[in-house]
Every structure is written in C-alpha cells, then in structure tokens.
Amino acid sequence: MTVIKIAAISGSLRKSSYHTGLVRSAIELSESIDEITIQYVDISSLPMLNTDLEIDGKYPDEVEAFRQIILKSDCFLFASPEYNYSLTAPLKNAIDWASRPPNVWANKAAAIVSTGGSAGGGRAHYHLRQVGVFLDLHFINKPEFVLNAFQPPAKFDSDGNLIDLQAKERLKSVLVALKAFALRLQ
C-alpha cells in the first residue's frame, strides 16, 4: 500500500483566506480518501528570494526546512489566489526557493485550486502552469477547480472555511485525480 504525501500550499498569507480555507477543507476531505495524507505548508516565514542568503551552498534554516518538505512530498496542491491576472508574490517566492539547485519540485504531480470573482482565480492557474513547465511539475488537467466565491449562495463562512457542499465534492474529485496521477508518475 502506497500512501501519497501531498504538500498543500496556500498562496495567500491572509488569516481568513479562502485559499487557506480550501487547503483546510482538502485536509478534512482527505480523511475519506484511502492512502493519502495532506500536510499544510506555511510559506509566511520564507524570506524573499535573495541568493546572498545562500552561504557556502546552504540555505537559511526556514528555506531548508521548506525545501525538505517539498523534496519528501509525492505531489502538491496549490491553492492560488489571482492577483493582477497572475499568482501571488508569496507563492512565487516559495516556488523560486524550492527551485534553487537542486530543484526539489521536479517530476512530481500537482493540482491547482482557486477561488475569487467571476473567473474564480482561473488566470492564476495558467501562470502557475507556465512556471511548472520550467520546474518539471506535472499538473493534472482535469478536473479544474475554480470557484466564484461571491456568487450566492455563500461558499465560505466568515473565518474562510469552505461551506459549500458541491464545492467540497469538486475539491474531493481534484484530490482523487491528483492521487491517481501521482501514482502514475511514481
């Protein structure tokens, strides 16, 4: 029995972020899916990428700890807000730190989920996929998960927790597809 280890990263640092809420919901949903575990990876303590911080081939402690989590994970769930039609600076910073030699993202599966206005954050998906090409990340193609957070009925509570049952089912289908793809790539 192979247990797939998923590292889940929210591109938002906001306390009541809907994207971090998607990660919390994914962790909760993972309990009903055999042979996966999801670890939330907090990127808020990572310094901005600055190669001057790489001393004698070593990374700052918080960067090295992050890189080790990425290295030991089988695949990734990115909950990516859309800022100015792209991904967020904190998420891009985290991606860049883990891509420093040796690139610890390479040859692993990934999925993207997002929420927002009418496009549901979908434009960020495309930029993250473009970055993934260079990193040798392999994104699932379907199902896609974009969610209009502001169209009634309410999708999230005031703490940023996902409360929409249909969205939870869609999120679960992403996790199932991610698990299957990760197994194929192993």
Side-chain angles (χ1 to χ4, degrees):
M1 178 176 12
T2 302
V3 175
I4 298 297
K5 295 180 292 255
I6 301 171
I9 303 167
S10 173
S12 176
L13 305 181
R14 197 170 58 82
K15 181 181 176 188
S16 296
S17 163
Y18 291 167
H19 289 86
T20 305
L22 289 174
V23 169
R24 284 191 303 271
S25 191
I27 291 169
E28 178 185 304
L29 291 166
S30 72
E31 295 172 8
S32 66
I33 303 170
D34 291 335
E35 301 163 358
I36 70 168
T37 63
I38 301 179
Q39 176 182 2
Y40 170 63
V41 183
D42 183 0
I43 61 173
S44 65
S45 68
L46 293 175
M48 289 301 294
L49 179 68
N50 177 350
T51 55
D52 289 344
L53 299 176
E54 297 174 31
I55 300 170
D56 296 325
K58 300 209 183 289
Y59 296 100
D61 291 344
E62 55 275 280
V63 171
E64 187 56 37
F66 172 71
R67 289 174 54 82
Q68 287 302 311
I69 292 169
I70 300 307
L71 179 66
K72 293 174 183 172
S73 298
D74 297 307
C75 57
F76 312 102
L77 177 67
F78 294 100
S80 180
E82 179 182 312
Y83 287 6
N84 301 315
Y85 283 19
S86 190
L87 55 152
T88 65
L91 180 57
K92 182 65 166 72
N93 184 58
I95 289 168
D96 290 345
W97 271 121
S99 73
R100 299 290 300 150
N103 171 18
V104 293
W105 300 109
N107 299 312
K108 296 182 182 180
I112 312 165
V113 296
S114 63
T115 187
S118 61
R123 292 179 201 96
H125 285 229
Y126 299 119
H127 279 199
L128 188 49
R129 286 175 179 273
Q130 288 172 325
V131 171
V133 168
F134 183 78
L135 301 174
D136 278 334
L137 267 174
H138 305 287
F139 286 95
I140 64 169
N141 291 320
K142 292 181 182 165
E144 289 186 306
F145 185 100
V146 294
L147 179 64
N148 183 331
F150 309 111
Q151 182 74 31
K155 309 296 188 291
F156 296 88
D157 66 17
S158 61
D159 293 323
N161 296 307
L162 184 63
I163 58 173
D164 182 271
L165 296 179
Q166 286 181 318
K168 285 185 178 192
E169 283 303 312
R170 290 178 47 224
L171 181 56
K172 184 176 180 177
S173 69
V174 169
L175 297 175
V176 170
L178 179 58
K179 172 190 168 186
F181 196 39
L183 286 168
R184 281 180 39 207
L185 290 177
Q186 286 186 340

